[in-house]
Amino acid sequence: SEAISSEKKSKYDALEFVREIEKIYKDKLKIAGQQSVAVLKTIINTERNLELSGASVKMLLEHLALVLPRIAS
């Protein structure tokens, strides 16, 4: 997140990163029912918010890091 806050990475880079997270969760998420829907909904909402003008990229990525469950690699 420091690279984002110092603008070494662009908003586009952050959006691509979130899209990669979405792919990983779609492939590996094995949480039943509503929780998996909530996880994907959070990721999609983050993608949408990153596309907004004036969105705080660092804050959105930090929120995503805090709310996503760990998955085994």
Side-chain angles (χ1 to χ4, degrees), residues 9-44:
K9 297 284 184 182
S10 69
K11 196 182 249 190
Y12 175 78
D13 293 323
L15 188 56
E16 288 300 309
F17 176 67
V18 173
R19 288 181 177 149
E20 287 300 314
I21 291 172
E22 181 181 8
K23 288 178 191 174
I24 291 168
Y25 270 86
K26 281 182 178 177
D27 290 342
K28 294 188 176 186
L29 196 63
K30 301 208 188 318
I31 300 169
Q34 294 293 357
Q35 190 173 3
S36 61
V37 171
V39 167
L40 291 174
K41 192 174 186 179
T42 299
I43 294 169
I44 291 167

Side-chain angles (χ1 to χ4, degrees), residues 48-60:
R48 288 182 182 155
N49 288 330
L50 281 169
E51 293 172 345
L52 297 175
S53 175
S56 173
V57 176
K58 183 179 176 188
M59 185 180 289
L60 289 167

